[in-house]
Each structure stands twice: as structure tokens, then as C-alpha cells.
Amino acid sequence: MAPSGMPHVIITGGSSGIGLTVARLYRARGARVTLIARGAGLLDEALALLGTGETAAEAADVADRAALEAAIVRATERFGPCTILVSSAGIVEPGAFADQPADLFDRQIAVNLTGTANAVRAVLPSMRQAGGGRIMLVSSGAGLIGIHGYAGYCASKYALRGYAGALRSELKASGIAVSICYPPDTQTPQFVRELASRPPEAQVIMGTVKPVEAESVARGIVGAIDTGRFETFFTPTLWALARLGPLAAPLINAVFDRQIAVLGKRNRRS
Ligand SMILES: NC(=O)c1ccc[n+]([C@@H]2O[C@H](COP(=O)([O-])OP(=O)(O)OC[C@H]3O[C@@H](n4cnc5c(N)ncnc54)[C@H](OP(=O)(O)O)[C@@H]3O)[C@@H](O)[C@H]2O)c1
């Protein structure tokens, strides 16, 4: 068992993108870091980047509850109780709901929502043992507004907001602070893959916003964990969507519907 005092940060999705950048920031502070993801190749590359000493990797699918629990038990035996969990593992499968195989919808819920709950459930005994902790859930701007072609993804990321709200209240008395963040489009390998299959109807809406760097999202995440802030939005637009979205929804929907109708007309003409 590792000596107490040094944070042990467990990051699901820690082998790439936002999760890997958060891992780098914590390693720079001297924290012990465990990365969890499925692919051994990316995990090995991440370990090479971060240096092995106080960094370790566990290969597990967050949707596989037993495998994830076993990975987190091994991690806590190695580095001590988990004091910070960053749940960043996530997938996105753009496509019209009616045309998409049901498996793709189910898989987004299984990874993004159930996978997050699996990770939280698995670290709770260890956080209680440590007398407290911090949990950060990575949702998305797509958890604040319904986007054409993202039904499964939006459903999973919206659900995280309700989950985080309930969890925050339940865990507060145990000294475990729950946070959630809603990144906008962010320059990561997932974003590059997503763009290739983003429906044009979504691109007319989302393509107008410049993606942010993973570094600035990761800094926002670490800052929110430091202060125990509940919600982080990264941009004024996402803040406004979260705070005023339900009021503004009829107007926003009307603007988006018109843009999509114009696109449809243009496509029919060409
Ligand atoms: N990039 C964006 O524009 C953006 C915007 C808003 C929100 N987000 C959210 O931010 C989080 C990180 O995204 P990212 O852009 O950094 O993606 P990324 O670069 O593709 O990284 C995703 C990470 O999650 C892991 N992962 C995926 N499925 C997994 C599973 N079933 N079990 C365990 N690990 C899994 C991946 O490794 P393996 O594939 O090897 O498992 C990888 O380490 C996601 O939750 C995403 O929805 C991203």
C-alpha cells in the first residue's frame, strides 16, 4: 500500500485526448496516476509519455462492471485509495437515430452513462476508506442541447447531468465532492474521428464554433477539482445554454430548424 498524503488519481479514458492531458497535469504535480482504457497500445504510449514511476495503466472496458472493479482494486492495491476519479472514457457515434443500428445507441449509453456509474461505484469504497475524495464526470456541450444526429450521445451526456446532481447531494456528507463538466468541441483524436461522420445538419450548427484545445479543457477540469466546483462550462455560450437553455430553447430550435431546412433545399437543388 502506498503511503498516504499523495493523491491517487484514477482516470478512465486516460490513454488519449482530454483524459491523457489531465493525467499529464497531475503527473506534473507529482500525483500517482492510474490510467484506464481498453487498448493496450494507447495505454503503453501514454505510459511512455508520462513516465512509469508513479503512473500505471489498467486495461478494462468501463462498460464491463466486473472487469472495471477488478482493475480499480488492483490500482488501489498498487497506489493506495483513490482520492480523485476523472471519468473521461466516452464514445460518440453520430448518425440519424432512425437509420442507426440499435447497438450503436445502446453502446453509447453503456460506455458514457453506465460506464461512468460503474467507475464511481468502484472507487467509492476506496474514497470512503481515505475519508473523502473528488469525482469529476466528463459530460459534453451535447449534454445541454439536443443536436441533430447525436440522439444516443446527447441522451447519455444529458443523463450524466441528472446523475451528477443526485450523486453530489448523496456524497456531500461523506466528504466526497462531485463535479461535472461540459466541454465544447475539443481537439482530440475522438473529435477528428467524429468530424469524419458528423452529419451535415449538425455541422451547419456546430461547425461555426472553433474547437478548443485539450489543454484548456484539462486545466479547467483540474481547477474545478481543486476548488470542488460542481459545474464547469468552459465557454460563455455553454454557460448560457446551461443557465438559460430551457427558456431560449424555442428560439434556438427555430433558428436551427431554419438552417437545416435551408441546407436540405440546397442539397435537393444540387
Ligand atoms: N473531443 C471533444 O470534442 C469532446 C467534447 C465534449 C465532450 N467530450 C468527452 O470527453 C471525453 C474524452 O473524449 P476525448 O475527445 O478525449 O476522446 P478520445 O481522445 O477518443 O479518448 C477517449 C478515451 O476513452 C477511452 N475509452 C473509450 N471507450 C472506452 C471504454 N468502453 N472503456 C474504457 N475506456 C474507453 C479511450 O481508449 P480505448 O478506446 O483504448 O478504450 C481513450 O482513452 C469523452 O467522454 C467525450 O465524450 C469530448
Side-chain angles (χ1 to χ4, degrees):
M1 170 89 55
S4 59
M6 180 90 76
H8 175 195
V9 188
I10 295 183
I11 305 174
T12 72
S15 66
S16 175
I18 294 170
L20 176 59
T21 314
V22 170
R24 194 168 47 66
L25 296 179
Y26 276 115
R27 280 302 298 128
R29 291 180 172 192
R32 296 185 171 89
V33 174
T34 300
L35 313 173
I36 296 180
R38 292 163 306 169
L42 272 187
L43 283 170
D44 286 346
E45 282 176 31
L47 284 183
L49 189 82
L50 299 172
T52 38
E54 303 283 354
T55 318
E58 292 287 346
D61 183 338
V62 294
D64 180 340
R65 194 165 69 220
L68 183 62
E69 270 172 18
I72 287 178
V73 166
R74 285 192 299 275
T76 56
E77 282 168 358
R78 183 185 303 114
F79 285 156
C82 171
T83 45
I84 299 174
L85 169 72
V86 179
S87 174
S88 186
I91 55 167
V92 56
E93 300 287 355
F97 174 76
D99 302 336
Q100 211 174 38
D103 283 355
L104 286 187
F105 183 93
D106 294 352
R107 182 72 186 152
Q108 289 175 92
I109 302 290
V111 174
N112 300 350
L113 173 60
T114 312
T116 295
N118 288 341
V120 171
R121 194 180 290 106
V123 300
L124 280 183
S126 149
M127 285 192 175
R128 291 206 164 105
Q129 183 193 340
R134 301 278 162 111
I135 293 174
M136 168 59 81
L137 313 183
V138 180
S139 176
S140 166
L144 300 171
I145 183 168
I147 302 168
H148 190 116
Y150 287 80
Y153 188 68
C154 287
S156 67
K157 296 295 189 177
Y158 260 81
L160 284 179
R161 194 173 193 195
Y163 173 65
L167 203 62
R168 187 203 65 77
S169 174
E170 290 180 23
L171 298 183
K172 194 173 167 51
S174 323
I176 300 170
V178 174
S179 301
I180 182 165
C181 68
Y182 305 87
D185 277 350
T186 306
Q187 288 291 1
T188 66
Q190 179 186 93
F191 178 63
V192 172
R193 285 192 302 274
E194 180 203 327
L195 268 189
S197 51
R198 179 174 281 182
E201 293 87 347
Q203 184 60 12
V204 289
I205 297 156
M206 297 157 81
T208 54
V209 183
K210 192 168 171 276
V212 302
E213 296 298 323
E215 180 80 21
S216 86
V217 170
R219 285 192 184 283
I221 286 174
V222 172
I225 293 171
D226 284 345
T227 57
R229 186 170 59 245
F230 177 50
E231 291 194 299
T232 300
F233 301 105
F234 305 101
T235 69
T237 308
L238 290 183
W239 179 89
L241 255 186
R243 297 287 177 246
L244 313 170
L247 267 182
L251 181 66
I252 295 171
N253 288 342
V255 171
F256 287 174
D257 288 350
R258 201 168 55 232
Q259 282 172 310
I260 290 168
V262 169
L263 179 77
K265 259 191 214 150
R266 205 181 304 141
N267 287 346
R268 279 193 295 280
R269 263 192 240 119
S270 61

